[in-house]
């Protein structure tokens, strides 16, 4: 199976991911929103609370605390397991890495 590089801002390969991992991550609509938000973060660093605010803001029926729980217990651990992010559970800080193939699949699946 083909592996795709996951790189930092300097283009250094941090890890790799496989097609099946990408498809598994993007199968969930909420996680797609998380990935899109992370890809739009300046300097590839954000705090969990700030990310939750960004995700809840445009949707009146969603809460920041609900997103924080989902991020902490579900979405961020899955993204960290694949190497797409570094997540400090204690501090709540997230560092996002880039995978071009993930971006390509996301654009094809959810072009908005």
């Amino acid at each position: 199976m083909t592996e795709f590089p996951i790189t930092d801002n300097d283009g250094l390969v941090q890890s790799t991911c496989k097609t099946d991992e990408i498809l598994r991550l993007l199968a969930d609509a909420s996680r797609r929103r998380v990935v899109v938000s992370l890809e739009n973060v300046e300097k590839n660093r954000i705090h969990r609370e700030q990310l939750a605010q960004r995700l809840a803001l445009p949707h009146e029926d969603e809460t920041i605390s609900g997103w924080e729980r989902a991020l902490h217990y579900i979405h961020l651990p899955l993204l960290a397991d694949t190497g797409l992010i570094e997540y400090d559970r204690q501090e709540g800080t997230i560092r996002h890495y880039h995978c071009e193939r993930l971006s390509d699949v996301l654009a094809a699946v959810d072009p908005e």
Side-chain angles (χ1 to χ4, degrees):
M1 176 94 23
T2 305
E3 292 189 348
F4 303 100
I6 297 172
T7 59
D8 63 14
N9 283 350
D10 298 325
L12 298 173
V13 176
Q14 297 296 312
S15 63
T16 60
C17 63
K18 296 179 181 178
T19 303
D20 288 346
E21 292 174 317
I22 291 171
L23 295 174
R24 179 177 52 92
L25 288 173
L26 298 180
D28 182 84
S30 293
R31 198 159 25 262
R32 288 194 300 271
R33 287 178 53 198
V34 171
V35 170
V36 167
S37 291
L38 287 170
E39 287 189 342
N40 292 316
V41 169
E42 203 170 300
K43 298 185 181 181
N44 294 346
R45 294 183 188 270
I46 191 169
H47 192 275
R48 182 183 59 236
E49 184 178 319
Q50 292 171 314
L51 180 58
Q53 288 172 350
R54 287 181 181 205
L55 292 163
L57 185 64
H59 302 276
E60 293 179 14
D61 59 332
E62 297 176 358
T63 65
I64 294 170
S65 62
W67 266 109
E68 271 204 84
R69 280 190 302 280
L71 288 168
H72 182 72
Y73 291 108
I74 301 168
H75 304 301
L76 298 179
L78 285 171
L79 293 169
D81 286 347
T82 61
L84 288 166
I85 65 166
E86 286 179 15
Y87 175 47
D88 184 327
R89 296 175 76 93
Q90 298 289 56
E91 297 293 323
T93 55
I94 305 158
R95 180 175 181 185
H96 176 259
Y97 296 111
H98 180 73
C99 177
E100 190 172 326
R101 182 62 62 183
L102 179 99
S103 299
D104 293 344
V105 172
L106 183 60
V109 171
D110 204 358
E112 296 175 19

